[in-house]
Amino acid sequence: MDNDVRSRYILQTESVIKQYKQYDETITAVNRVDIKIEEGEFVAIIGSSGSGKSTFLSCCAGLDKVDAGHIYIRGQDITKMSHDELSRFRGANMGFVFQRHNLIPQFTALENILIPTLMVNKKDGSYDETLRRLVKTLNIEDRLHHLPSELSGGQQQRVAIARALINMPQILFADEPTGNLDRANADEVLDLLIKTRDSIGQTLVMVTHDLKIASRADRIFRMDNGVLTLDRDYLDGKRKTINGY
């Protein structure tokens, strides 16, 4: 496929395979997965535990290496990048929100948020406006100088979201970002993700087991034994078809 065609999509994968060795058995976690995602879409990936959805998300974000296939972000094949090239590219173009917030306990909320800025060569102070907008949107203005242990679970996840967005990435990957939260906090975090996505014009790709959350996506895919398919049960008569899916 021509690179000009690939660059039409913010994310495109071609026959992605990821395997693991378990004793003398080879487990195929991701099995020849193809997907095309346009800029500004909210795509949800659902599936049972162990289906391969989180592994696929990690591969798309460049956190895990594939065994075969290609992953293009803005037409650039991240599977061919060196470790240093990928780190710089990921820092400038992608954000990642984990189920467990993964904040550094010895750092304040503000210090945790600013960690990704160290990966991108920008002038000091260039993040001031972005930081101001994020902490206001996420309602953590009065928590910036607190340690993670001094924050509630919902506040910690808001800090993690701010950290993922501080470099204004074009695409945000979220792996069960509400999995450890109660219903009220889960709904609030999703609202915040959608609000920031709308204000930035960002693409959101989320793995979730929560069908209520998935139902708010533009498209829903289901992962089953490493195979990804469009979940037409949710889209039929409700969601518009995009790019022939």
Side-chain angles (χ1 to χ4, degrees):
M1 183 179 296
D2 188 88
N3 281 338
D4 289 339
V5 176
R6 292 193 182 99
S7 63
R8 288 174 45 201
Y9 306 100
I10 191 164
L11 170 64
Q12 179 175 354
T13 70
E14 296 177 355
S15 299
V16 168
I17 297 174
K18 178 63 181 178
Q19 297 177 321
Y20 296 102
K21 286 286 187 181
Q22 191 173 64
Y23 303 109
D24 59 346
E25 185 179 3
T26 299
I27 306 297
T28 302
V30 179
N31 192 0
R32 298 186 181 280
V33 170
D34 299 296
I35 194 171
K36 298 183 183 76
I37 297 176
E38 291 198 351
E39 185 173 2
E41 274 196 274
F42 173 14
V43 170
I45 301 175
I46 61 175
S48 59
S49 178
S51 62
K53 58 188 188 298
S54 291
T55 300
F56 176 61
L57 197 74
S58 292
C59 289
C60 289
L63 300 176
D64 212 349
K65 283 192 171 293
V66 302
D67 292 297
H70 300 275
I71 297 170
Y72 299 91
I73 303 290
R74 280 272 184 236
Q76 297 193 53
D77 190 349
I78 67 171
T79 64
K80 293 183 177 179
M81 293 181 182
S82 69
H83 181 271
D84 289 344
E85 288 172 335
L86 180 56
S87 293
R88 289 192 295 270
F89 184 82
R90 188 168 56 234
N93 295 281
M94 306 181 221
F96 203 102
V97 181
F98 302 88
Q99 179 176 353
R100 302 185 185 279
H101 48 76
N102 290 340
L103 301 178
I104 298 176
Q106 298 87 356
F107 286 9
T108 65
L110 177 60
E111 290 168 335
N112 271 283
I113 291 169
L114 292 176
I115 287 172
T117 67
L118 302 175
M119 302 170 61
V120 181
N121 187 22
K122 289 188 178 181
K123 295 179 180 179
D124 291 343
S126 61
Y127 299 98
D128 291 350
E129 178 60 22
T130 301
L131 179 64
R132 186 192 65 77
R133 288 173 55 197
L134 284 175
V135 299
K136 183 177 181 180
T137 299
L138 295 166
N139 194 26
I140 52 174
E141 293 167 294
D142 62 341
R143 313 304 290 174
L144 293 180
H145 301 292
H146 289 70
L147 295 172
S149 61
E150 300 170 322
L151 305 176
S152 69
Q155 289 169 341
Q156 291 177 34
Q157 193 63 308
R158 290 184 186 93
V159 172
I161 292 169
R163 178 183 60 190
L165 293 173
I166 189 62
N167 283 340
M168 297 290 283
Q170 295 178 331
I171 183 167
L172 179 67
F173 298 100
D175 187 7
E176 300 277 11
T178 63
N180 289 328
L181 303 177
D182 58 31
R183 180 78 267 161
N185 275 309
D187 289 342
E188 186 174 357
V189 165
L190 179 63
D191 287 341
L192 291 169
L193 283 171
I194 292 176
K195 184 177 180 180
T196 53
R197 167 234 181 184
D198 290 343
S199 67
I200 297 172
Q202 187 178 59
T203 304
L204 176 59
V205 184
M206 181 186 297
V207 160
T208 182
H209 68 277
D210 191 327
L211 296 181
K212 182 178 178 182
I213 287 176
S215 67
R216 297 180 63 179
D218 299 313
R219 288 189 292 164
I220 303 172
F221 289 83
R222 182 179 294 274
M223 184 76 86
D224 186 22
N225 290 323
V227 177
L228 189 72
T229 56
L230 187 69
D231 196 313
R232 294 190 179 277
D233 291 341
Y234 285 92
L235 296 178
D236 212 15
K238 184 178 180 182
R239 305 290 187 188
K240 63 181 179 180
T241 300
I242 301 176
N243 296 328
Y245 282 106

